[in-house]
Amino acid sequence: MRKNNILLDINKLSVSIGDKPILRDLSLQVAAGEVHAIMGPNGSGKSTLAQVLAGRAGYEVSGEVRYLGEDILDFSPEERAWRGLFLAFQYPVEIPGVNNVYLLKAALNAQRKYRGEAPLDAFEFLTVIKEKMKLMRIDESFLNRSVNAGFSGGEKKRNEILQMVVLEPRLAVLDETDSGLDIDALKVVASGVNTMRDPERAIVLITHYQRLLDYIKPDKVHVLADGRIARSGGPELALELEEKGYDWLRDEAASA
Amino acid sequence: MSKQNQEIEDFVGGQYKHGFVTDIQSDTIPPGLDESVVRLISKKKKEPQFMLDWRLQAYAHWQTMPTPAWAHVHYPPIDFQEISYFSAPKSADDAPRSLDEVDPKLLETYEKLGIPLHERARLAGVAVDAVFDSVSVATTFKAKLAEAGVIFCPFSEAVQEHPALLEQYLGSVVPYADNFYACLNSAVFSDGSFVFIPKGVRCPMELSTYFRINEAKTGQFERTLIIAEEGSHVSYLEGCTAPMRDENQLHAAVVELIALDDAQIKYATVQNWYPGDAEGRGGIFNFVTKRGDCRGNNSRISWTQVETGSAITWKYPSCILRGDNSIGEFYSVAVTNNFQQADTGTKMIHIGKNTRSTIISKGISAGRASTAYRGLVKVLPGATGARNFTQCDSLLMGDRCAAHTFPYMEVKEPDAQIEHEATTSKIGEDELFYCRQRGIEEEDAVNMIVNGFCKEVFKELPMEFAVEAQNLLAVSLEGAVG
Ligand SMILES: Nc1ncnc2c1ncn2[C@@H]1O[C@H](COP(=O)(O)OP(=O)(O)OP(=O)(O)O)[C@@H](O)[C@H]1O
Ligand SMILES: [Mg+2]
């Protein structure tokens, strides 16, 4: 029963850049309806994992990543996106001259096309996005601005979550979306994520802070260190990390 | 003198009558250039003496000019004796009669470009000769334009109907001795467009022309002359296409704009001459002289160009800001892919008081192409209160292409305000990946980013043209990434 619910199944994934290994034989399963948190020291490979899941080129990749039952490692980034895989970037890019709404409408309609649904026209789309913007407490002036251009760090992160709630992915990977947010923004982002919780959907939160997990209760917490999942547990693991840092894990790994 | 030219000479001379008739029936006079060819062109067009004299002066001067060598474009020497200087339209009987008779590939391209159906038919040469096409536009709207007093007709018609205007204005902005290719054009130009907007008139519609080179081994030398009298307004659009050919073809046009007191001219070009294939074979050499003269006070001339075609583009649409408070503007998008080369930019010559100029140039290079922006802002003594703003942005796609920026400034008035901004960016992996992660396919993502980059220029184009320009960019950059 449980097996059938697995949305994301990573099996012995190894990733390197040039001859620098970053992930080594990493395995991880995420079931539909679950929220997982991935923590870990700087440079441990969390963003690399997220980027590889989303299909970024430039890595040597081996192993298997099954998503919705398919091995997706040979899929292009857009093919993965069409199947409902979403990545909120740690560093969202600025695209001058390209309107926010325009990008998001193109994105949504590309995914609708894949699903065989009719494209939304400008009016229908505006109705959708305005409602979601209200939820994310984003000002309407944002509609006419270029993608992330001149946005503050926090605004960029909020924009990522807005895109997520509009695109309604099956699997959302959020790479440090909580970093750089003030406390109010953090609550808004958390509530955005919480509205996404659904038995059909899974969310992977990459974060450094236990604080986020006060607002979004994870089902599982993993620690990524030395290129693999060094430890997994429940929410209590995050509290333990908050208290002790990562060194004890490293020591454990060294003595093992 | 070549043998062929001897033959032409003979036609023009002794055997003239017979030869003339024969020539009219054939499409093209044999390649080659000498004085007899210049005379023949003028004669075929039944031009008045002053036109012939002007052509001959130009030809004589051209022979004394060295072929120009430009720093940033490279091409094999052009053999001017290989080119045919006159290509009469095919007779209507030979032209396709409906769209069904037109090569579907060609139609597909037009469709991709978003050219409206009736325009496609005209471009494909249905019913209308395609060498120069403003005739049909002029005929269609002639009544409406005539009512407003606007003259819009082929250049050769203007020579017949409005010789006094021509004698007054022709060559008054671009003298025949201006540069090598303008001089050649002055000697051998075949046709073009003539526009006259009388005092106080706002031209009731956008005027537009499609140019097309269709004969192999011909050069295209057209001239456009636009005169906007006091207080008048006109917006003019020019589109260019050419079929694919393996050999290079020369296009050397001259455009002269004259704006009198309080007049405004907006001139937009979407240039899509055949760029050559992916290996760099064939394509148009586009060496064009475009200049606007803000002759009157408070006059305004604006150039907007989207240059996606041609193997080599060399052009600097310029403004002479002679009148006090006159304004010159230049908005340009130049795209090069594969082996294309573009050297383009503008000259703003500030002469009158309180003159202003704006330059926005966007260069996009992909493949092994190179784009150069070359701009001159000149503030002459007496041009007090002059202001210029220049912004040059380059976007590189891939790492085998190049972009160069050459801003020149000559400022002779200390109170001039000159601002220059330049950026070069690469179409980033990061931006592309971001869009693709959202589900936007790579080509679409490229188009989106490129269009965003060009936005400031596209907004200067009339709506339909802006759409066409965007589509053109998409076609030109097809396969540029990945
Ligand atoms: N393009 C690259 N070229 C070379 N090394 C890279 C590249 N991208 C990442 N790395 C290296 O891979 C390792 C993992 O980086 P990654 O960004 O995945 O870490 P992270 O866990 O997300 O860190 P942080 O918590 O700081 O965001 C780091 O040592 C980083 O320097
Ligand atoms: Mg990271």
Side-chain angles (χ1 to χ4, degrees), chain A residues 200-219:
Chain A
E200 293 287 294
R201 197 173 273 147
I203 297 166
V204 175
L205 302 169
I206 295 171
T207 180
H208 286 294
Y209 305 106
Q210 144 67 25
R211 191 180 64 166
L212 176 69
L213 307 181
D214 288 340
Y215 298 101
I216 310 170
K217 274 269 153 287
D219 299 289

Side-chain angles (χ1 to χ4, degrees), chain A residues 51 54-56 76-78 81-82 85-87 89 92-99 102-103 106-107 110-111 147-148 160 163 167, chain B residues 362 425 428-456 470:
Chain A
Q51 303 266 336
R56 180 158 198 149
S76 68
E78 49 270 42
W82 298 337
L85 196 157
F86 179 91
L87 169 62
F89 287 76
V93 296
E94 303 191 3
I95 313 180
V98 175
N99 192 280
Y102 185 74
L103 176 101
Q111 301 193 14
V147 178
N148 292 326
E160 294 293 287
Q163 296 185 2
L167 295 173
Chain B
K362 304 277 180 174
S425 51
E429 287 275 306
D430 290 342
E431 289 84 352
L432 270 182
F433 181 61
Y434 189 84
C435 295
R436 296 177 71 189
Q437 203 307 301
R438 298 303 184 244
I440 298 163
E441 280 177 274
E442 186 165 29
E443 296 260 312
D444 295 338
V446 170
N447 290 337
M448 201 181 266
I449 294 167
V450 167
N451 282 320
F453 176 74
C454 300
K455 203 176 200 170
E456 287 160 282
Q470 287 190 13

Side-chain angles (χ1 to χ4, degrees), chain B residues 88-120:
Chain B
K90 279 189 172 162
S91 74
D93 300 342
D94 297 341
R97 251 156 289 235
S98 75
L99 276 176
D100 303 338
E101 290 176 40
V102 174
D103 181 0
K105 266 251 160 67
L106 196 63
L107 292 179
E108 203 177 288
T109 310
Y110 293 154
E111 192 174 336
K112 267 192 191 165
L113 297 180
I115 296 171
L117 202 68
H118 64 279
E119 214 62 87
R120 282 182 227 166

Side-chain angles (χ1 to χ4, degrees), chain A residues 68-218:
Chain A
L68 291 170
E70 289 177 294
D71 188 345
I72 57 167
L73 280 181
D74 288 334
F75 288 6
S76 68
E78 49 270 42
E79 286 170 320
R80 301 178 198 208
W82 298 337
R83 287 166 172 78
L85 196 157
F86 179 91
L87 169 62
F89 287 76
Q90 181 173 4
Y91 305 109
V93 296
E94 303 191 3
I95 313 180
V98 175
N99 192 280
N100 260 313
V101 187
Y102 185 74
L103 176 101
L104 199 43
K105 178 163 164 268
L108 182 60
N109 280 336
Q111 301 193 14
R112 289 178 66 92
K113 184 176 166 199
Y114 173 78
R115 297 195 296 258
E117 297 163 9
L120 295 186
D121 64 30
F123 183 76
E124 293 165 321
F125 180 74
L126 271 181
T127 317
V128 172
I129 194 174
K130 282 194 171 158
E131 178 207 326
K132 309 279 184 182
M133 279 169 64
K134 214 176 262 166
L135 178 74
M136 295 306 301
R137 308 227 186 119
I138 289 176
D139 192 84
E140 288 212 0
S141 67
F142 154 96
L143 288 172
N144 301 315
R145 291 172 68 179
S146 293
V147 178
N148 292 326
F151 283 28
S152 74
E155 286 172 336
K156 285 182 186 168
K157 296 299 178 78
R158 233 188 297 182
N159 193 17
E160 294 293 287
I161 300 304
L162 174 69
Q163 296 185 2
M164 178 184 76
V165 296
V166 169
L167 295 173
E168 301 185 318
R170 290 292 298 279
L171 172 65
V173 180
L174 276 48
D175 192 355
E176 293 199 28
T177 305
D178 56 327
S179 294
L181 293 183
D182 64 39
I183 191 71
D184 293 333
L186 182 70
K187 284 182 190 163
V188 170
V189 162
S191 83
V193 174
N194 283 327
T195 60
M196 294 287 295
R197 291 187 87 145
D198 181 291
E200 293 287 294
R201 197 173 273 147
I203 297 166
V204 175
L205 302 169
I206 295 171
T207 180
H208 286 294
Y209 305 106
Q210 144 67 25
R211 191 180 64 166
L212 176 69
L213 307 181
D214 288 340
Y215 298 101
I216 310 170
K217 274 269 153 287

Side-chain angles (χ1 to χ4, degrees), chain B residues 117-394:
Chain B
L117 202 68
H118 64 279
E119 214 62 87
R120 282 182 227 166
R122 299 205 294 118
L123 277 176
V126 178
V128 184
D129 71 82
V131 177
F132 175 75
D133 210 19
S134 73
V135 193
S136 62
V137 182
T139 339
T140 320
F141 300 111
K142 211 159 197 165
K144 198 167 169 195
L145 290 172
E147 219 170 275
V150 172
I151 303 169
F152 176 35
C153 67
F155 207 95
S156 48
E157 196 179 311
V159 172
Q160 304 303 326
E161 316 255 319
H162 312 284
L165 283 174
L166 280 193
E167 209 168 353
Q168 185 182 351
Y169 288 107
L170 178 71
S172 73
V173 188
V174 181
Y176 64 75
D178 190 81
N179 68 72
F180 186 83
Y181 287 102
C183 194
L184 176 62
N185 173 291
S186 304
V188 303
F189 75 91
S190 40
D191 213 325
S193 253
F194 178 78
V195 176
F196 177 81
I197 317 288
K199 223 173 188 167
V201 169
R202 260 173 199 273
C203 188
M205 65 189 66
E206 305 265 2
L207 302 180
S208 78
T209 302
Y210 269 95
F211 290 111
R212 190 177 126 93
I213 297 179
N214 60 350
E215 286 300 313
K217 291 216 173 205
T218 57
Q220 176 130 339
F221 305 94
E222 81 269 349
R223 278 192 94 87
T224 303
L225 176 60
I226 299 180
I227 303 152
E229 280 200 331
E230 290 83 352
S232 67
H233 286 227
V234 62
S235 167
Y236 186 90
L237 312 171
E238 160 195 79
C240 314
T241 54
M244 297 190 269
R245 304 242 181 251
D246 283 344
E247 76 271 21
N248 295 111
Q249 282 177 279
L250 177 62
H251 175 248
V254 172
V255 177
E256 295 180 281
L257 311 182
I258 297 138
L260 302 184
D261 286 352
D262 305 301
Q264 290 192 17
I265 303 176
K266 262 180 100 91
Y267 193 106
T269 305
V270 174
Q271 184 266 112
N272 182 35
W273 298 120
Y274 178 54
D277 66 14
E279 270 75 54
R281 276 188 305 260
I284 304 288
F285 291 164
N286 188 36
F287 303 149
V288 171
T289 306
K290 291 184 164 172
R291 196 171 302 152
D293 189 354
C294 284
R295 210 165 276 184
N297 294 337
N298 312 311
S299 57
R300 178 177 192 151
I301 288 179
S302 110
W303 298 100
T304 305
Q305 60 172 18
V306 177
E307 303 279 324
T308 62
S310 298
I312 303 177
T313 295
W314 175 89
K315 67 181 264 204
Y316 311 93
S318 305
C319 296
I320 302 169
L321 304 171
R322 210 185 294 279
D324 290 347
N325 313 313
S326 59
I327 298 174
E329 292 161 311
F330 175 74
Y331 303 97
S332 169
V333 168
V335 183
T336 53
N337 195 359
N338 297 319
F339 287 85
Q340 280 178 279
Q341 306 172 57
D343 194 317
T344 181
T346 186
K347 292 177 200 161
M348 294 290 175
I349 316 293
H350 294 255
I351 301 173
K353 297 192 194 330
N354 303 316
T355 46
R356 276 187 287 152
S357 59
T358 303
I359 299 170
I360 311 276
S361 162
K362 304 277 180 174
I364 302 167
S365 321
R368 294 160 184 267
S370 89
T371 311
Y373 166 82
R374 200 181 293 279
L376 170 67
V377 176
K378 202 169 179 171
V379 178
L380 294 184
T384 50
R387 277 192 287 161
N388 164 266
F389 174 74
T390 300
Q391 184 186 326
C392 297
D393 298 321
S394 310

Side-chain angles (χ1 to χ4, degrees), chain A residues 50-61:
Chain A
Q51 303 266 336
V52 167
L53 288 178
R56 180 158 198 149
Y59 303 96
E60 282 100 81
V61 180

